[in-house]
Structures are given as C-alpha cells and as structure tokens.
Amino acid sequence: MTEAQYKVPKGLAGVSVTDTRISKSASDGSLVYRGYPISEIAANAGFEETAYLVLNGRLPTRSELGTFTRGLLSRSKVDRRIFDIMRGLGKGSHPIDVIRTAVSALGSVDDERTVQEKEMSIESKMSVLAANSRRVPRGEAPRGPKEGLGFAADLLQMLTPKEASDFDRWVFERVLIFYMEHDMNASSFTVRVVASTQADPYAAASAGLASLKGPLHGGANEAAMEMLLDVKDPSKAAKFVDSAIEDGRKLMGFGHRVYKAYDPRARLCKGYLKEMLEKRGEDDTLYRLCDAIEREMWERKKIPPNLDYYAAPIFYLLGIEVPLYTPIFAAARVFGWMAHYNEQVEENKLIRPDSTYVGPSGLKYAPIEKR
Amino acid sequence: MTEAQYKVPKGLAGVSVTDTRISKSASDGSLVYRGYPISEIAANAGFEETAYLVLNGRLPTRSELGTFTRGLLSRSKVDRRIFDIMRGLGKGSHPIDVIRTAVSALGSVDDERTVQEKEMSIESKMSVLAANSRRVPRGEAPRGPKEGLGFAADLLQMLTPKEASDFDRWVFERVLIFYMEHDMNASSFTVRVVASTQADPYAAASAGLASLKGPLHGGANEAAMEMLLDVKDPSKAAKFVDSAIEDGRKLMGFGHRVYKAYDPRARLCKGYLKEMLEKRGEDDTLYRLCDAIEREMWERKKIPPNLDYYAAPIFYLLGIEVPLYTPIFAAARVFGWMAHYNEQVEENKLIRPDSTYVGPSGLKYAPIEKR
C-alpha cells in the first residue's frame, strides 16, 4: 500500500498549495495586488488599470491600457445563441446558474484563438451576462454596454437604469476593484484545479462559477443586504445581534478567514457609503444601521465586518436588485480567476491530492439473495 | 503577516486532504470499492449494484436494488429545453463542453427536491447526455433509453446502433464499473472543492466535467485509440515505441500516478478484449497490437498500461465513435462524483487553502504618464 506522505487539516486551512505573485491578504488587515497596497490602488487606479495589473504583474502604460480597454470593449457583444440559452432556462433560474451555463456554452460558441483572447472574451462578456442574468431568463431584452463608458460605468448602467452621479460611479468602480482578486479563495482554487488539467479558460471560469453557487463562498453580500433590510432601525441593532447570537445564527457579512481585526476593503467601503449619503444629502439611517450592527458585533464577539457587508448597502443605494449582488462579484472576480489560471498554467503540475482510506477491506461479494 | 503553517508539494502529490470510505487504489495494483476488491466486483456485480455500493457503502438488497434501478430509469427523460440548448451549441462542439453546459442548465431546469433525487437525476441523465453529445449538436434526433434494458446496455444502445452480443454487453458493463470511481482524482477533487462551498450537485457535477475537459485528466482513452489506429500493425510496435521515446512523446494510455507495476482494471480489460475477439471468431490483430506496444513499453520504460489503454479497443470493437469515449468515462464517473459530494457534505469544511506570496510589496502607484 502507498501511504500518503502528508496528512493536512481538512479544508486545507493554513496549507500553502502554491507560490503566487498575484495578491496577498494578511491578518494585520493588509492586502496587496501585485505589491501595491489596496488603499494605494483604491485612491488612484481605475478598474481596467487594476485588471491589467492583476493579470500582467505591472501597471500599464497609456498605450497598453488603451489596447486592453479596447480589447475588452470589442469583445463585449454576446452571441444571440447565448441569450437564447439563458432565455431557455426560464424565469425562476438562479442568476449564478444562468451565468455558469452561459460561460460554459461560450466554450462551444466563442471563436477566439489564443488563450489570452479567450480570457478577454470571458472577462468582457461576464459583465454583460451578470447584468442580464435576471432580465434575459425572464424574457426581457438584454442590455448591452455603451461605447466609451468604461468597464465599471458600463456594468452599472446595464445593472440599473437609475442615474448615477460621478461619485457614485467612482465608488462602484472601487467596489469592483475590491471584488476582483483575493489570493487563494474557494473559487480561485477551483479555477486552479481545473486549469491544472490543462482545460481551457471557459471550463475553468465555469467551474469558478460553480463554486460561487455555494453559500459558503458566494451570496454573502445578498444575505447581508437582506439582513439590513430586515433590521431597518439602528435602535434595534443591539437586540437583533443579541438574538442572533442566542440562536447561534451566523451573521452574514461578518468574519473572515484572514482578517481578524478588520477587512481593509470593508473599512474603505464604509467611508464611501457615508460620503455617498452626504453628497446626496440623503437621510443617513442606512449608514447608522450598518455602523450600529458593526459595533454590537464587535463588542460581543470581536468579529469585524467584511467587504460583503459594506458592498451591499452601496449596491442598494445605487439601485441594484439584491439578487444581482453575487453576479457583480463574479463579473469582477473573473479577472482574478484568469490571473490564477495563467499562473497555474505557467508552471503547471496536475493538482491531484491523495486521501486516506479508512473504510473496510477484503470484503467478499455475497449473492443478492444472501444479503 | 500570517504565514501558511504548512507548505506542501505543488500538485498536492502524496498529500492526504481527507479521510474517505469510498475507494482506495494502491501501488501494489489493488483497488477496492467500499472494501470490495475490484476483481470481486467485476466477476459478480452489475453496474447499478456497484453504483449503489459506491454511493451507499454497502451492497443493496434485492428490493433496494429494484428501487434504485427504477429511480434511475424514471429520471432518464431529458427535458426538451436541454436538447434545444445542446443543439444551439452547434455541430463543431466538443462533447465534454456540451455535457457540461447541459448539466449546468439542468441546475435551472430540473425540478427535483432532495439532494438525493437531484443526484439520481444527474446520474441518470448524464448517460443520455453523453450518448447524445455529438448527435444533438449536429441536429440529429436524440436517442433515449429503453425500458428494462438496464443502465449499461441502455447506454450502449444509445451510443451505437451496432448489435451487441450478451458477452459484449457484459464487457461494456465491466468497463463502466471500472470508470465509475477511482479515489482522489482531479475531477473528484474538483467536485469536493465545489461541494465544500455547499453548492448543489448540479454545480459540483458541472465543475467535475470542467476538469475532465483537460487533456491531463480526460481524453486519454480517445488518444490511446487514435494511437492504435495509427500504428495498426503489431510488427510496427517496436519501431513506434522507439521513435516515441526518442522524440520525448508521452504515450497516452500508459502510466499511472498510483499503479506502478500494473493497473488491475487494465489487466482485466485486456482479458476481456481477447475473449471478445475469440467469441466473435474475429481476427486478433487489434489484441496483438495492444499486447505488442504494451510489451515494448514495459521492456524499455517499465511503464504499464492503464485502464484507458484497454478500454479504448473494447469501445472500438463495440462500434462506438472515438470522440464518445471520454463522455462514457463521464457517464460512469458521475456516480463516483456524487459519492464524493455526499462524503464531503456530510462532515463539511470549506476547502480554502493558502498560498505563499512571493511577489513584491509596498509599491507606490505612479501616475500613468510616469510609467
């Protein structure tokens, strides 16, 4: 018998499966993309610029950025057959299922040649698929991007007809940048496992979407918003948190495997949320509600909010339907997935772990009448 | 900074990521399903009986087997919308892409309620999807199962109109049993990673199919057959193997991460192949060709053939088109995937490994005109 040489903790917590140069989150609340602190990126960079950085390992020159931006926009037209497939799935379909099926189908329908072109096609079309993941299965006409708006503003106008101010758009772009990449998470690892078989980027991206379907990975921003809508009143925060703790219910949007003190993305988003309301001159109940629940959770459990918690009310203020929050996550994260795909393929080794057999052995077959 | 506690070899070779009671392969050429040696199963059990064993951990009583078999057959009708989607992908589509998209779409279209019913639906429909993965995208009418034939005979008659003898059908059933399960392989691991997010079985199965798309996992039986058809003449085996070694070409159908001396499934299939030809009274060139290449490889490289190598000529004799060989693998392996799905979910922990960041840090954003 061969015995496994290592036995590692279930869930592979704390098990480093690869070297990476893409990004790093750490428990002190730091996050870097390709060496740049997330705050540095949030303050300065646009979505395409950051995507280029994550994919290529360095910030683009103006000409590289232009080529990349045009490359994305020129691939944003989704074939009618893909929309037909989405329509065929029917109006009750889960948006992530719809996007997964559409990206999987793209693997047959798309006619890109190189791996890089395939990736750009997936990255570009995912935002169109995400924005239309509820509309098209319901039989509504698909919405498409508008020439020259840029990735983030385009996704926003496809998601909602509500007018957005420049600041709103700037904030939405920051949130997309935060969702783009986050070192080794469940979906990026899924993408790497599939990439390691030398499968194409469509297969890898559809597998990433499969893992986003699970509530332990995707869906948290939606659940966080539902919680906020449910509690409504900041003065009810203490009672709500108490009863959740009492019932052993996990609050969605809190806690993180890496960030124990705070999630740097959540902290930035919290500031944006406040500023959005101030700039609009709107009532700040939503901000005070978020802040109140955050304080109560910290006081009782020392658990900080994560990105999902503060992305949710931002999406809400922007007028986006709650079931589209995880599709937005997917539309941004696909850039990170493709960076992981490339890094995996560059120095590939098939990811094929071992298991420890703990069942019986040497059993004899007994005829069915003797069982 | 949190540092990863363990660093494991890339590809996780020899790294045990979980305990399992499903199956175990070992380098001495042994393979057990739930404690039963594969030879014991091959000599005695049918496909449904083995599937029940793999899924439930013990052989079924007659009544349990009847319920399971009827449960599969009653779920074999594939919704017209799924065939429409497959047709929409077009005739050049790769069969594994087609099946992945169809299974992904099933996640929206199927109306099963419990996890177990969803799994049976996937298991049952996968064989119909596999058999039709070339026909339907080409615009041909789908073929369906026939009442009462049983899983293996049904899949065979859907795959090819060629008449099969009882012995041929018995052999095909053995090959399906061998493809059903094989401890921790790339696709079963993918399924477990996706299952660990608490995604549904459709998501998990579609991700398994995504990883089968990669030539390092799926496709080997097809490549092996193409090689056999290419060499044709047993007397050319030595020269062929020599030139392959000289050119550094890997021969598909040879070598295995676990079985170093021999693959027990390949050995059994080799015997079946010989017997099929004898019973048919046919020319035994194909057998002698396989045997000759096997001997030459063993003599030079001490690498034994694996299951794919001897499954391929069996499928060929049965009259099945080569591009359907990997779909057959998928139609059988899905039962193993669902067993892994269940085992993962039973004592779940999100599979979320760590990585070691080896890139730069503390970089400062430079405005685009300064790059």
Side-chain angles (χ1 to χ4, degrees):
Chain A
M1 300 279 286
T2 11
E3 285 306 320
Q5 295 166 282
Y6 300 75
K7 194 163 177 181
V8 294
K10 208 168 160 136
L12 300 174
V15 175
S16 171
V17 294
T18 188
D19 285 350
T20 184
R21 298 176 173 274
I22 304 172
S23 72
K24 181 68 190 171
S25 60
S27 57
D28 62 0
S30 68
L31 169 63
V32 297
Y33 287 177
R34 300 285 190 180
Y36 293 90
I38 193 69
S39 54
E40 191 79 10
I41 291 169
N44 297 293
F47 185 87
E48 285 91 334
E49 199 179 359
T50 309
Y52 186 97
L53 169 69
V54 165
L55 284 161
N56 299 287
R58 59 172 180 79
L59 287 167
T61 63
R62 194 181 297 280
S63 132
E64 288 165 339
L65 181 59
T67 306
F68 181 67
T69 303
R70 284 190 302 277
L72 285 176
L73 186 64
S74 71
R75 287 178 171 82
S76 62
K77 194 168 157 44
V78 173
D79 192 287
R80 214 179 128 143
R81 284 175 291 175
I82 301 293
F83 285 134
D84 287 344
I85 287 172
M86 291 165 75
R87 207 170 289 117
L89 298 177
K91 64 183 172 191
S93 302
H94 190 290
I96 294 296
D97 285 342
V98 173
I99 305 171
R100 185 188 65 229
T101 301
V103 169
S104 176
L106 257 189
S108 303
V109 166
D110 228 7
D111 54 6
E112 302 285 355
R113 290 184 185 192
T114 69
V115 169
Q116 204 198 355
E117 286 163 352
K118 288 174 189 185
E119 291 176 355
M120 286 189 85
S121 175
I122 296 168
E123 290 153 4
S124 177
K125 291 178 177 74
M126 277 272 288
S127 77
V128 181
L129 299 175
N132 288 292
S133 58
R134 300 246 294 168
R135 295 180 58 76
V136 170
R138 282 174 180 160
E140 296 167 40
R143 291 197 188 120
K146 292 178 184 164
E147 195 85 29
L149 272 186
F151 186 91
D154 242 336
L155 176 52
L156 185 57
Q157 66 83 15
M158 288 190 282
L159 286 162
T160 168
K162 196 173 166 181
E163 272 299 312
S165 68
D166 285 351
F167 184 72
D168 283 1
R169 283 204 286 255
W170 182 88
V171 169
F172 183 67
E173 188 161 5
R174 303 307 103 187
V175 181
L176 291 185
I177 288 171
F178 299 157
Y179 271 123
M180 187 189 295
E181 164 55 22
H182 206 257
D183 61 26
M184 197 59 85
N185 51 80
S187 57
S188 298
F189 184 52
T190 307
V191 165
R192 289 186 88 117
V193 172
V194 171
S196 83
T197 70
Q198 292 180 356
D200 57 62
Y202 304 98
S206 70
L209 285 157
S211 94
L212 260 196
K213 180 72 191 296
L216 295 189
H217 188 35
N221 49 12
E222 298 172 15
M225 194 64 228
E226 275 149 18
M227 175 187 78
L228 294 171
L229 291 170
D230 188 42
V231 183
K232 252 186 204 153
D233 181 349
S235 72
K236 289 184 181 150
K239 209 172 148 188
F240 172 76
V241 172
D242 279 340
S243 80
I245 291 171
E246 209 164 291
D247 302 350
R249 268 185 296 125
K250 229 189 123 198
L251 289 199
M252 296 312 281
F254 282 90
H256 197 275
R257 191 140 156 187
V258 176
Y259 306 122
K260 295 307 174 195
Y262 72 96
D263 177 336
R265 306 164 302 171
R267 189 171 277 185
L268 288 163
C269 283
K270 186 178 181 181
Y272 303 152
L273 175 65
K274 189 163 197 224
E275 218 175 328
M276 273 175 91
L277 289 164
E278 282 167 6
K279 284 201 198 289
R280 291 166 173 223
E282 277 179 25
D283 172 86
D284 67 348
T285 307
L286 185 57
Y287 176 82
R288 287 186 294 108
L289 173 65
C290 293
D291 183 59
I293 297 177
E294 176 184 346
R295 284 169 192 276
E296 300 294 343
M297 270 297 277
W298 185 256
E299 198 168 292
R300 285 164 181 71
K301 306 282 280 183
K302 295 283 175 289
I303 300 178
N306 56 42
L307 169 60
D308 288 316
Y309 184 73
Y310 277 110
I314 289 172
F315 292 160
Y316 186 78
L317 284 184
L318 292 169
I320 303 166
E321 295 180 278
V322 177
L324 292 172
Y325 293 5
T326 304
I328 297 172
F329 175 8
R333 182 57 57 89
V334 68
F335 290 86
W337 289 344
M338 295 297 100
H340 283 279
Y341 181 92
N342 295 340
E343 196 178 67
Q344 180 65 39
V345 166
E346 254 166 52
E347 284 188 56
N348 192 43
K349 188 159 165 53
L350 179 67
I351 299 179
R352 199 265 195 213
D354 212 328
S355 55
T356 304
Y357 183 70
V358 296
S361 63
L363 299 182
K364 287 268 174 231
Y365 180 89
I368 197 160
E369 50 281 355
K370 296 202 172 161
R371 285 173 207 157
Chain B
M1 299 282 285
T2 12
E3 284 307 320
Q5 296 167 281
Y6 300 75
K7 195 162 178 182
V8 294
K10 209 168 160 137
L12 300 173
V15 175
S16 170
V17 294
T18 188
D19 285 349
T20 184
R21 297 176 173 274
I22 304 173
S23 72
K24 182 66 190 171
S25 60
S27 58
D28 62 1
S30 68
L31 169 63
V32 296
Y33 287 178
R34 299 285 190 180
Y36 293 89
I38 193 68
S39 55
E40 190 80 9
I41 291 170
N44 297 291
F47 185 87
E48 284 92 334
E49 200 179 358
T50 309
Y52 186 99
L53 170 69
V54 164
L55 285 161
N56 298 286
R58 60 172 179 76
L59 288 167
T61 63
R62 193 180 298 279
S63 132
E64 286 165 341
L65 180 59
T67 306
F68 182 67
T69 303
R70 283 189 303 275
L72 286 176
L73 185 65
S74 70
R75 286 176 174 82
S76 62
K77 195 170 157 42
V78 172
D79 192 289
R80 214 179 126 143
R81 283 175 291 175
I82 301 293
F83 285 134
D84 287 345
I85 287 172
M86 291 165 73
R87 206 170 291 118
L89 298 178
K91 64 184 170 188
S93 303
H94 190 291
I96 294 296
D97 286 342
V98 173
I99 306 172
R100 184 187 66 230
T101 301
V103 169
S104 177
L106 256 189
S108 303
V109 166
D110 227 7
D111 54 5
E112 302 285 354
R113 291 183 182 192
T114 68
V115 169
Q116 203 198 355
E117 287 163 352
K118 288 174 190 186
E119 291 176 355
M120 286 189 85
S121 176
I122 296 168
E123 290 153 5
S124 178
K125 292 180 177 71
M126 277 272 288
S127 75
V128 181
L129 299 174
N132 288 293
S133 59
R134 299 247 292 168
R135 295 180 59 76
V136 170
R138 282 175 181 161
E140 296 167 41
R143 291 199 187 121
K146 292 179 182 164
E147 195 85 30
L149 273 186
F151 186 91
D154 243 337
L155 177 51
L156 185 56
Q157 66 83 13
M158 288 189 283
L159 285 163
T160 169
K162 194 171 167 182
E163 272 300 311
S165 68
D166 285 351
F167 184 73
D168 283 1
R169 282 204 288 255
W170 183 87
V171 168
F172 183 67
E173 189 162 5
R174 302 309 101 187
V175 181
L176 291 185
I177 288 171
F178 299 157
Y179 271 123
M180 187 189 294
E181 164 57 21
H182 207 256
D183 61 27
M184 198 60 86
N185 50 80
S187 57
S188 298
F189 184 53
T190 308
V191 165
R192 289 187 87 118
V193 172
V194 171
S196 83
T197 70
Q198 293 181 355
D200 58 62
Y202 304 98
S206 69
L209 285 157
S211 94
L212 262 197
K213 179 73 190 295
L216 295 189
H217 188 35
N221 49 13
E222 298 172 15
M225 193 65 228
E226 275 150 17
M227 175 186 77
L228 293 171
L229 291 171
D230 189 40
V231 183
K232 254 187 205 153
D233 181 350
S235 71
K236 291 184 182 151
K239 208 171 150 191
F240 172 76
V241 173
D242 278 340
S243 81
I245 291 171
E246 209 164 291
D247 302 350
R249 268 186 296 127
K250 226 188 125 201
L251 289 200
M252 296 312 280
F254 282 89
H256 197 276
R257 190 140 157 188
V258 176
Y259 305 122
K260 295 307 173 195
Y262 71 97
D263 177 336
R265 306 163 302 173
R267 189 170 279 186
L268 287 164
C269 283
K270 186 179 181 181
Y272 301 152
L273 175 64
K274 190 163 195 224
E275 218 176 325
M276 272 174 91
L277 289 163
E278 282 167 4
K279 282 200 200 288
R280 291 167 173 224
E282 278 179 24
D283 172 85
D284 67 348
T285 308
L286 185 56
Y287 176 83
R288 287 186 295 111
L289 173 65
C290 293
D291 183 58
I293 297 177
E294 177 185 345
R295 284 168 192 276
E296 300 294 342
M297 270 297 278
W298 186 256
E299 200 167 289
R300 285 163 182 72
K301 305 282 279 182
K302 294 282 175 290
I303 300 177
N306 57 41
L307 169 59
D308 288 316
Y309 183 73
Y310 277 110
I314 289 173
F315 292 160
Y316 186 77
L317 283 185
L318 292 169
I320 303 166
E321 295 180 276
V322 177
L324 292 172
Y325 294 4
T326 303
I328 298 173
F329 174 8
R333 182 57 57 89
V334 68
F335 289 86
W337 289 345
M338 295 297 100
H340 283 278
Y341 181 92
N342 294 341
E343 196 177 67
Q344 179 65 38
V345 166
E346 255 166 50
E347 285 187 56
N348 191 42
K349 188 157 166 53
L350 178 67
I351 299 177
R352 200 263 194 215
D354 213 329
S355 56
T356 304
Y357 183 71
V358 295
S361 62
L363 300 181
K364 287 267 175 231
Y365 180 90
I368 198 159
E369 50 281 355
K370 296 201 173 163
R371 285 173 209 157

